[in-house]
């Protein structure tokens, strides 16, 4: 059975409205939730970027859902602080929280004023952070001198069972690398053959734990409206690495996405007014073997999407 989750996009929605949305998602039948963790949106049109860790405490208290968050330790966040944040939420809400860890994007990390490292350095830094976070969650005192530095850190409040640390990947190569250290894998929607290769690479390299998929979608009562929502809110998010990793500000994303064609947007967002087509896409992803699929409607008004999918899509899917 595949859990169907609601993705809470802090970059697009005020955190108060986002809390209302996730509560409604639980009411209409979603099984779980996850959220982003950015310092800035990808476009001035999106217009928000609340602090994920403050919001997560409220959302876990307000619902009975399990939650995940995608985080980039090592520059904007010191790994000891992220370990403390993970440990506290997991101690307060046992079995309901997981964190996915990635190497980050300049749009969020440049705010520290530090240089933005090469991708190979970012991966090495992430690997150090993972080991530091695991050791702290296990109760060890940690000192470390490397790409990040830690001096005699210890977590005084820890969960009885450390939560899963999931690897975030968009390429087959990164999925294979995540198998070395992760308790699961998360990726975003792509052609089914690519997704199959990613799952296979992760499992064949010894990857353990659940595999998660985040699906970007746009639905409305008419095709024209669904396309307009997607084009307004998500055309700044069509760029493959390294472009999406290395642009620094929402203004940069808005400039380079000014002339993005709708056909390019349709490659990264499932756009349709037909709920049956959305159901079919999700059935294809479920057949690939994903353990959890998080639905991200890229519009800023979440209520119509939640009501429509809660009544006409979720009941047709094999989920808890």
């Amino acid at each position: 059975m595949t859990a169907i989750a609601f993705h809470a996009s802090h970059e697009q929605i005020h955190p108060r409205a986002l809390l209302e949305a996730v509560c409604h998602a639980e009411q209409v039948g979603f099984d779980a939730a996850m959220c982003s963790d950015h310092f800035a949106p990808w476009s001035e049109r999106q217009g928000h970027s609340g602090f994920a860790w403050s919001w997560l405490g409220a959302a876990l208290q307000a619902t009975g859902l399990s939650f995940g968050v995608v985080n980039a330790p090592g520059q904007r966040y010191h790994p000891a602080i992220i370990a403390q944040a993970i440990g506290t939420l997991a101690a307060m809400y046992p079995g309901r929280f997981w964190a996915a860890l990635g190497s980050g994007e300049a749009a969020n990390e440049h705010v520290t004023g530090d240089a933005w490292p090469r991708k190979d350095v970012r991966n090495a830094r992430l690997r150090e952070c993972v080991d530091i976070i695991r050791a702290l969650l296990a109760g060890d005192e940690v000192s470390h001198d490397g790409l990040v530095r830690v001096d005699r850190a210890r977590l005084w409040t820890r969960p009885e069972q450390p939560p899963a640390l999931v690897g975030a990947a968009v390429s087959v190569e990164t999925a294979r690398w995540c198998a070395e250290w992760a308790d699961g894998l998360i990726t975003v929607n792509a052609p089914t053959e690519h997704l199959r290769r990613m799952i296979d690479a992760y499992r064949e390299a010894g990857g353990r734990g659940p595999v998660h998929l985040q699906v970007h979608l746009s639905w409305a009562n008419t095709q024209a409206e669904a396309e307009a929502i997607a084009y307004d809110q998500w055309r700044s998010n069509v760029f493959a690495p390294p472009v999406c990793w290395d642009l620094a500000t929402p203004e940069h994303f808005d400039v380079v996405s000014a002339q993005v064609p709708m056909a390019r947007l349709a490659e990264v967002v499932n756009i349709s007014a037909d709920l049956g087509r959305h159901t079919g896409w999700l059935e294809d992803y479920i057949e690939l073997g994903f353990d959890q699929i998080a639905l991200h409607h890229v519009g800023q008004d979440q209520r119509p999407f939640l009501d429509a999918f809660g009544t006409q899509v979720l009941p047709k899917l094999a989920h808890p």
Side-chain angles (χ1 to χ4, degrees):
M1 300 287 278
T2 300
I4 306 299
F6 169 70
H7 177 76
S9 179
H10 286 287
E11 299 76 29
Q12 298 176 272
I13 302 169
H14 189 285
R16 186 169 55 246
L18 206 54
L19 185 60
E20 294 172 357
V22 78
C23 290
H24 192 62
E26 181 178 37
Q27 292 167 6
V28 301
F30 281 77
D31 306 309
M34 65 171 289
C35 77
S36 51
D37 178 12
H38 280 231
F39 193 85
W42 291 276
S43 168
E44 291 191 353
R45 294 182 307 279
Q46 293 172 351
H48 289 282
S49 205
F51 186 56
W53 296 92
S54 301
W55 185 87
L56 279 163
L60 282 157
Q61 182 64 27
T63 71
L65 301 175
S66 64
F67 279 80
V69 63
V70 182
N71 173 263
Q75 186 158 330
R76 179 172 43 124
Y77 291 116
H78 192 280
I81 300 304
I82 289 302
Q84 187 182 32
I86 291 171
T88 296
L89 288 178
M92 292 179 70
Y93 305 101
R96 292 178 53 203
F97 181 69
W98 53 271
L101 303 177
S103 59
E105 298 175 356
N108 305 302
E109 311 307 322
H110 77 91
V111 297
T112 65
D114 297 323
W116 180 234
R118 300 186 313 271
K119 177 59 174 172
D120 61 315
V121 177
R122 301 200 304 272
N123 280 353
R125 181 173 68 182
L126 172 60
R127 192 68 181 81
E128 289 184 18
C129 289
V130 170
D131 291 343
I132 291 163
I133 292 168
R134 282 201 191 282
L136 288 168
L137 290 170
D140 297 343
E141 180 179 281
V142 175
S143 294
H144 180 84
D145 293 291
L147 293 169
V148 293
R149 299 181 65 188
V150 184
D151 179 44
R152 293 167 292 179
R154 176 184 171 189
L155 292 186
W156 294 88
T157 298
R158 297 182 294 112
E160 292 185 10
Q161 181 66 36
L165 302 182
V166 175
V170 294
S171 70
V172 171
E173 294 74 21
T174 303
R176 187 177 294 111
W177 174 68
C178 287
E180 299 176 10
W181 57 266
D183 300 318
L185 181 73
I186 187 168
T187 189
V188 297
N189 55 314
T192 54
E193 185 53 41
H194 177 75
L195 295 174
R196 183 180 289 109
R197 289 199 303 271
M198 289 193 65
I199 294 173
D200 289 346
Y202 180 70
R203 295 300 189 201
E204 290 168 3
R208 61 191 185 276
V211 288
H212 300 252
L213 177 67
Q214 180 187 356
V215 175
H216 304 303
L217 66 95
S218 183
W219 171 84
N221 287 317
T222 69
Q223 185 67 22
E225 186 181 359
E227 291 177 356
I229 288 169
Y231 198 75
D232 177 70
Q233 284 293 295
W234 214 247
R235 71 177 183 268
S236 54
N237 294 65
V238 302
F239 303 104
V243 174
C244 60
W245 292 337
D246 293 339
L247 294 183
T249 69
E251 293 87 348
H252 291 165
F253 280 95
D254 281 338
V255 168
V256 299
S257 64
Q259 303 300 322
V260 168
M262 180 59 69
R264 178 69 184 97
L265 187 60
E267 294 175 5
V268 299
V269 182
N270 292 344
I271 306 170
S272 181
D274 183 352
L275 289 170
R277 191 173 186 199
H278 284 286
T279 303
W281 278 319
L282 294 173
E283 288 173 337
D284 289 343
Y285 300 141
I286 289 171
E287 192 172 317
L288 289 173
F290 284 101
D291 299 284
Q292 179 171 301
I293 299 176
L295 307 188
H296 171 214
H297 171 53
V298 299
Q300 291 179 302
D301 184 1
Q302 295 291 306
R303 182 63 69 100
F305 149 72
L306 290 170
D307 287 338
F309 275 64
T311 58
Q312 299 183 60
V313 176
L314 298 190
K316 297 178 182 178
L317 302 175
H319 73 114

